mmCIF file of all heavy atoms in Angstrom:
data_model
loop_
_atom_site.group_PDB
_atom_site.id
_atom_site.type_symbol
_atom_site.label_atom_id
_atom_site.label_comp_id
_atom_site.label_asym_id
_atom_site.label_seq_id
_atom_site.Cartn_x
_atom_site.Cartn_y
_atom_site.Cartn_z
ATOM 1 N N VAL A 20 279.502 109.188 -1.472
ATOM 2 C CA VAL A 20 278.121 109.340 -1.040
ATOM 3 C C VAL A 20 277.795 108.208 -0.072
ATOM 4 O O VAL A 20 278.037 107.034 -0.373
ATOM 5 C CB VAL A 20 277.145 109.298 -2.239
ATOM 6 C CG1 VAL A 20 275.703 109.400 -1.757
ATOM 7 C CG2 VAL A 20 277.464 110.435 -3.210
ATOM 8 N N VAL A 21 277.285 108.570 1.092
ATOM 9 C CA VAL A 21 276.914 107.569 2.086
ATOM 10 C C VAL A 21 275.612 106.912 1.661
ATOM 11 O O VAL A 21 274.623 107.586 1.364
ATOM 12 C CB VAL A 21 276.759 108.211 3.478
ATOM 13 C CG1 VAL A 21 276.240 107.190 4.487
ATOM 14 C CG2 VAL A 21 278.095 108.787 3.938
ATOM 15 N N GLY A 22 275.607 105.588 1.622
ATOM 16 C CA GLY A 22 274.450 104.849 1.127
ATOM 17 C C GLY A 22 273.333 104.737 2.139
ATOM 18 O O GLY A 22 273.505 105.000 3.339
ATOM 19 N N PRO A 23 272.150 104.312 1.682
ATOM 20 C CA PRO A 23 270.981 104.200 2.567
ATOM 21 C C PRO A 23 271.174 103.173 3.680
ATOM 22 O O PRO A 23 270.626 103.335 4.773
ATOM 23 C CB PRO A 23 269.848 103.805 1.613
ATOM 24 C CG PRO A 23 270.518 103.275 0.391
ATOM 25 C CD PRO A 23 271.807 104.000 0.281
ATOM 26 N N ARG A 24 271.956 102.100 3.414
ATOM 27 C CA ARG A 24 272.169 101.105 4.461
ATOM 28 C C ARG A 24 272.933 101.706 5.633
ATOM 29 O O ARG A 24 272.598 101.467 6.804
ATOM 30 C CB ARG A 24 272.920 99.901 3.901
ATOM 31 C CG ARG A 24 272.973 98.736 4.899
ATOM 32 C CD ARG A 24 273.747 97.547 4.371
ATOM 33 N NE ARG A 24 275.162 97.840 4.272
ATOM 34 C CZ ARG A 24 275.879 97.701 3.169
ATOM 35 N NH1 ARG A 24 275.301 97.305 2.062
ATOM 36 N NH2 ARG A 24 277.168 97.969 3.164
ATOM 37 N N THR A 25 273.942 102.523 5.345
ATOM 38 C CA THR A 25 274.703 103.159 6.409
ATOM 39 C C THR A 25 273.818 104.109 7.211
ATOM 40 O O THR A 25 273.889 104.151 8.445
ATOM 41 C CB THR A 25 275.906 103.925 5.823
ATOM 42 O OG1 THR A 25 276.771 102.995 5.168
ATOM 43 C CG2 THR A 25 276.682 104.649 6.905
ATOM 44 N N MET A 26 272.973 104.868 6.533
ATOM 45 C CA MET A 26 272.090 105.796 7.232
ATOM 46 C C MET A 26 271.050 105.040 8.070
ATOM 47 O O MET A 26 270.699 105.472 9.174
ATOM 48 C CB MET A 26 271.397 106.719 6.236
ATOM 49 C CG MET A 26 272.349 107.648 5.488
ATOM 50 S SD MET A 26 273.476 108.575 6.586
ATOM 51 C CE MET A 26 272.300 109.567 7.518
ATOM 52 N N ALA A 27 270.567 103.896 7.572
ATOM 53 C CA ALA A 27 269.626 103.092 8.354
ATOM 54 C C ALA A 27 270.299 102.546 9.613
ATOM 55 O O ALA A 27 269.709 102.529 10.697
ATOM 56 C CB ALA A 27 269.078 101.947 7.497
ATOM 57 N N GLY A 28 271.545 102.108 9.457
ATOM 58 C CA GLY A 28 272.293 101.637 10.616
ATOM 59 C C GLY A 28 272.520 102.750 11.619
ATOM 60 O O GLY A 28 272.419 102.538 12.843
ATOM 61 N N PHE A 29 272.823 103.936 11.115
ATOM 62 C CA PHE A 29 273.008 105.090 11.994
ATOM 63 C C PHE A 29 271.729 105.377 12.784
ATOM 64 O O PHE A 29 271.775 105.662 13.985
ATOM 65 C CB PHE A 29 273.407 106.313 11.165
ATOM 66 C CG PHE A 29 273.377 107.609 11.920
ATOM 67 C CD1 PHE A 29 274.236 107.843 12.982
ATOM 68 C CD2 PHE A 29 272.477 108.603 11.575
ATOM 69 C CE1 PHE A 29 274.205 109.036 13.680
ATOM 70 C CE2 PHE A 29 272.433 109.797 12.267
ATOM 71 C CZ PHE A 29 273.301 110.016 13.319
ATOM 72 N N ALA A 30 270.576 105.268 12.133
ATOM 73 C CA ALA A 30 269.300 105.505 12.819
ATOM 74 C C ALA A 30 269.097 104.490 13.942
ATOM 75 O O ALA A 30 268.619 104.837 15.028
ATOM 76 C CB ALA A 30 268.147 105.435 11.816
ATOM 77 N N CYS A 31 269.481 103.231 13.707
ATOM 78 C CA CYS A 31 269.365 102.210 14.755
ATOM 79 C C CYS A 31 270.282 102.524 15.939
ATOM 80 O O CYS A 31 269.884 102.403 17.101
ATOM 81 C CB CYS A 31 269.707 100.831 14.191
ATOM 82 S SG CYS A 31 268.444 100.116 13.135
ATOM 83 N N ILE A 32 271.519 102.922 15.647
ATOM 84 C CA ILE A 32 272.470 103.237 16.722
ATOM 85 C C ILE A 32 271.984 104.448 17.516
ATOM 86 O O ILE A 32 272.059 104.482 18.756
ATOM 87 C CB ILE A 32 273.875 103.478 16.143
ATOM 88 C CG1 ILE A 32 274.432 102.177 15.548
ATOM 89 C CG2 ILE A 32 274.822 104.005 17.217
ATOM 90 C CD1 ILE A 32 275.727 102.341 14.788
ATOM 91 N N LEU A 33 271.449 105.455 16.821
ATOM 92 C CA LEU A 33 270.922 106.635 17.496
ATOM 93 C C LEU A 33 269.743 106.257 18.388
ATOM 94 O O LEU A 33 269.640 106.730 19.538
ATOM 95 C CB LEU A 33 270.493 107.678 16.462
ATOM 96 C CG LEU A 33 269.867 108.970 16.997
ATOM 97 C CD1 LEU A 33 270.812 109.675 17.949
ATOM 98 C CD2 LEU A 33 269.489 109.889 15.839
ATOM 99 N N ALA A 34 268.838 105.397 17.886
ATOM 100 C CA ALA A 34 267.703 104.946 18.696
ATOM 101 C C ALA A 34 268.193 104.155 19.905
ATOM 102 O O ALA A 34 267.636 104.273 21.014
ATOM 103 C CB ALA A 34 266.762 104.102 17.845
ATOM 104 N N GLY A 35 269.247 103.360 19.707
ATOM 105 C CA GLY A 35 269.820 102.629 20.827
ATOM 106 C C GLY A 35 270.366 103.551 21.893
ATOM 107 O O GLY A 35 270.162 103.330 23.099
ATOM 108 N N PHE A 36 271.055 104.604 21.474
ATOM 109 C CA PHE A 36 271.566 105.593 22.428
ATOM 110 C C PHE A 36 270.412 106.226 23.203
ATOM 111 O O PHE A 36 270.494 106.409 24.424
ATOM 112 C CB PHE A 36 272.355 106.670 21.686
ATOM 113 C CG PHE A 36 272.729 107.846 22.546
ATOM 114 C CD1 PHE A 36 273.832 107.793 23.380
ATOM 115 C CD2 PHE A 36 271.977 109.014 22.522
ATOM 116 C CE1 PHE A 36 274.176 108.883 24.175
ATOM 117 C CE2 PHE A 36 272.313 110.095 23.308
ATOM 118 C CZ PHE A 36 273.416 110.031 24.141
ATOM 119 N N ALA A 37 269.318 106.563 22.515
ATOM 120 C CA ALA A 37 268.173 107.189 23.176
ATOM 121 C C ALA A 37 267.585 106.269 24.244
ATOM 122 O O ALA A 37 267.184 106.729 25.316
ATOM 123 C CB ALA A 37 267.111 107.554 22.139
ATOM 124 N N LEU A 38 267.550 104.963 23.984
ATOM 125 C CA LEU A 38 267.031 104.024 24.968
ATOM 126 C C LEU A 38 267.998 103.854 26.142
ATOM 127 O O LEU A 38 267.585 103.811 27.306
ATOM 128 C CB LEU A 38 266.762 102.671 24.318
ATOM 129 C CG LEU A 38 265.523 102.593 23.425
ATOM 130 C CD1 LEU A 38 265.460 101.245 22.717
ATOM 131 C CD2 LEU A 38 264.251 102.815 24.246
ATOM 132 N N VAL A 39 269.294 103.765 25.840
ATOM 133 C CA VAL A 39 270.287 103.607 26.899
ATOM 134 C C VAL A 39 270.273 104.818 27.832
ATOM 135 O O VAL A 39 270.401 104.691 29.053
ATOM 136 C CB VAL A 39 271.690 103.400 26.289
ATOM 137 C CG1 VAL A 39 272.777 103.606 27.333
ATOM 138 C CG2 VAL A 39 271.796 102.007 25.687
ATOM 139 N N LYS A 40 270.090 106.003 27.267
ATOM 140 C CA LYS A 40 270.108 107.245 28.034
ATOM 141 C C LYS A 40 268.694 107.782 28.278
ATOM 142 O O LYS A 40 268.514 108.990 28.459
ATOM 143 C CB LYS A 40 270.944 108.300 27.292
ATOM 144 C CG LYS A 40 272.411 107.949 27.146
ATOM 145 C CD LYS A 40 273.127 107.997 28.480
ATOM 146 C CE LYS A 40 274.614 107.771 28.337
ATOM 147 N NZ LYS A 40 275.315 107.809 29.642
ATOM 148 N N HIS A 41 267.699 106.900 28.317
ATOM 149 C CA HIS A 41 266.307 107.367 28.357
ATOM 150 C C HIS A 41 266.018 108.229 29.578
ATOM 151 O O HIS A 41 265.327 109.248 29.477
ATOM 152 C CB HIS A 41 265.339 106.168 28.290
ATOM 153 C CG HIS A 41 265.410 105.261 29.477
ATOM 154 N ND1 HIS A 41 264.572 105.367 30.553
ATOM 155 C CD2 HIS A 41 266.227 104.205 29.734
ATOM 156 C CE1 HIS A 41 264.859 104.424 31.434
ATOM 157 N NE2 HIS A 41 265.864 103.705 30.970
ATOM 158 N N ALA A 42 266.553 107.860 30.749
ATOM 159 C CA ALA A 42 266.264 108.637 31.955
ATOM 160 C C ALA A 42 266.898 110.022 31.868
ATOM 161 O O ALA A 42 266.261 111.039 32.175
ATOM 162 C CB ALA A 42 266.771 107.893 33.184
ATOM 163 N N GLU A 43 268.176 110.064 31.437
ATOM 164 C CA GLU A 43 268.859 111.349 31.340
ATOM 165 C C GLU A 43 268.213 112.239 30.285
ATOM 166 O O GLU A 43 268.060 113.448 30.492
ATOM 167 C CB GLU A 43 270.335 111.136 31.003
ATOM 168 C CG GLU A 43 271.130 110.410 32.087
ATOM 169 C CD GLU A 43 271.161 108.911 31.861
ATOM 170 O OE1 GLU A 43 270.191 108.391 31.258
ATOM 171 O OE2 GLU A 43 272.136 108.273 32.298
ATOM 172 N N LEU A 44 267.839 111.651 29.143
ATOM 173 C CA LEU A 44 267.214 112.444 28.081
ATOM 174 C C LEU A 44 265.847 112.952 28.512
ATOM 175 O O LEU A 44 265.457 114.066 28.154
ATOM 176 C CB LEU A 44 267.094 111.603 26.802
ATOM 177 C CG LEU A 44 268.417 111.277 26.106
ATOM 178 C CD1 LEU A 44 268.185 110.326 24.943
ATOM 179 C CD2 LEU A 44 269.106 112.540 25.619
ATOM 180 N N ARG A 45 265.102 112.148 29.299
ATOM 181 C CA ARG A 45 263.809 112.608 29.792
ATOM 182 C C ARG A 45 263.995 113.824 30.706
ATOM 183 O O ARG A 45 263.245 114.796 30.622
ATOM 184 C CB ARG A 45 263.105 111.477 30.540
ATOM 185 C CG ARG A 45 261.628 111.747 30.825
ATOM 186 C CD ARG A 45 260.981 110.635 31.615
ATOM 187 N NE ARG A 45 261.199 109.342 30.983
ATOM 188 C CZ ARG A 45 261.858 108.334 31.537
ATOM 189 N NH1 ARG A 45 262.399 108.484 32.734
ATOM 190 N NH2 ARG A 45 262.002 107.200 30.901
ATOM 191 N N ARG A 46 265.004 113.750 31.582
ATOM 192 C CA ARG A 46 265.280 114.902 32.450
ATOM 193 C C ARG A 46 265.700 116.112 31.624
ATOM 194 O O ARG A 46 265.303 117.244 31.918
ATOM 195 C CB ARG A 46 266.375 114.545 33.464
ATOM 196 C CG ARG A 46 265.911 113.629 34.576
ATOM 197 C CD ARG A 46 266.913 113.586 35.707
ATOM 198 N NE ARG A 46 268.172 112.978 35.305
ATOM 199 C CZ ARG A 46 268.430 111.679 35.436
ATOM 200 N NH1 ARG A 46 267.524 110.862 35.926
ATOM 201 N NH2 ARG A 46 269.606 111.196 35.065
ATOM 202 N N LEU A 47 266.518 115.866 30.588
ATOM 203 C CA LEU A 47 266.975 116.963 29.740
ATOM 204 C C LEU A 47 265.803 117.631 29.037
ATOM 205 O O LEU A 47 265.709 118.862 28.997
ATOM 206 C CB LEU A 47 267.980 116.435 28.720
ATOM 207 C CG LEU A 47 268.577 117.442 27.738
ATOM 208 C CD1 LEU A 47 269.336 118.516 28.478
ATOM 209 C CD2 LEU A 47 269.478 116.730 26.743
ATOM 210 N N VAL A 48 264.888 116.831 28.487
ATOM 211 C CA VAL A 48 263.702 117.388 27.813
ATOM 212 C C VAL A 48 262.866 118.164 28.813
ATOM 213 O O VAL A 48 262.347 119.243 28.514
ATOM 214 C CB VAL A 48 262.883 116.264 27.154
ATOM 215 C CG1 VAL A 48 261.545 116.783 26.670
ATOM 216 C CG2 VAL A 48 263.669 115.661 25.985
ATOM 217 N N GLY A 49 262.727 117.646 30.040
ATOM 218 C CA GLY A 49 261.981 118.361 31.067
ATOM 219 C C GLY A 49 262.606 119.690 31.416
ATOM 220 O O GLY A 49 261.909 120.703 31.562
ATOM 221 N N ASP A 50 263.943 119.709 31.513
ATOM 222 C CA ASP A 50 264.629 120.969 31.822
ATOM 223 C C ASP A 50 264.437 121.987 30.705
ATOM 224 O O ASP A 50 264.220 123.179 30.963
ATOM 225 C CB ASP A 50 266.128 120.713 32.030
ATOM 226 C CG ASP A 50 266.421 119.914 33.288
ATOM 227 O OD1 ASP A 50 265.514 119.838 34.150
ATOM 228 O OD2 ASP A 50 267.524 119.344 33.392
ATOM 229 N N VAL A 51 264.535 121.514 29.442
ATOM 230 C CA VAL A 51 264.333 122.411 28.301
ATOM 231 C C VAL A 51 262.909 122.968 28.310
ATOM 232 O O VAL A 51 262.679 124.153 28.067
ATOM 233 C CB VAL A 51 264.641 121.686 26.980
ATOM 234 C CG1 VAL A 51 264.233 122.549 25.792
ATOM 235 C CG2 VAL A 51 266.118 121.342 26.889
ATOM 236 N N GLY A 52 261.927 122.099 28.605
ATOM 237 C CA GLY A 52 260.531 122.543 28.649
ATOM 238 C C GLY A 52 260.307 123.580 29.738
ATOM 239 O O GLY A 52 259.593 124.563 29.545
ATOM 240 N N THR A 53 260.949 123.371 30.891
ATOM 241 C CA THR A 53 260.820 124.342 31.985
ATOM 242 C C THR A 53 261.398 125.690 31.603
ATOM 243 O O THR A 53 260.808 126.742 31.856
ATOM 244 C CB THR A 53 261.548 123.793 33.247
ATOM 245 O OG1 THR A 53 260.936 122.552 33.625
ATOM 246 C CG2 THR A 53 261.428 124.788 34.391
ATOM 247 N N LEU A 54 262.581 125.650 30.937
ATOM 248 C CA LEU A 54 263.199 126.902 30.505
ATOM 249 C C LEU A 54 262.313 127.613 29.475
ATOM 250 O O LEU A 54 262.173 128.838 29.495
ATOM 251 C CB LEU A 54 264.584 126.622 29.923
ATOM 252 C CG LEU A 54 265.672 126.240 30.908
ATOM 253 C CD1 LEU A 54 266.943 125.823 30.180
ATOM 254 C CD2 LEU A 54 265.966 127.396 31.872
ATOM 255 N N ALA A 55 261.715 126.831 28.559
ATOM 256 C CA ALA A 55 260.871 127.427 27.533
ATOM 257 C C ALA A 55 259.637 128.088 28.129
ATOM 258 O O ALA A 55 259.228 129.184 27.729
ATOM 259 C CB ALA A 55 260.460 126.356 26.507
#
């Protein structure tokens, strides 16, 4: 069973990825919104 500390660390790494790729993710969200 994966413990809460590992999941908390995973959340930090995921948030870090979102910040590193913020411009690309913003464009991706915009493209998805346009398609919708």
Side-chain angles (χ1 to χ4, degrees):
V20 178
V21 175
R24 189 182 69 235
T25 298
M26 295 309 296
F29 169 65
C31 286
I32 293 172
L33 178 58
F36 171 82
L38 285 174
V39 165
K40 296 291 185 180
H41 65 95
E43 295 92 331
L44 291 174
R45 193 182 307 118
R46 286 194 294 268
L47 180 61
V48 170
D50 292 343
V51 172
T53 300
L54 288 173

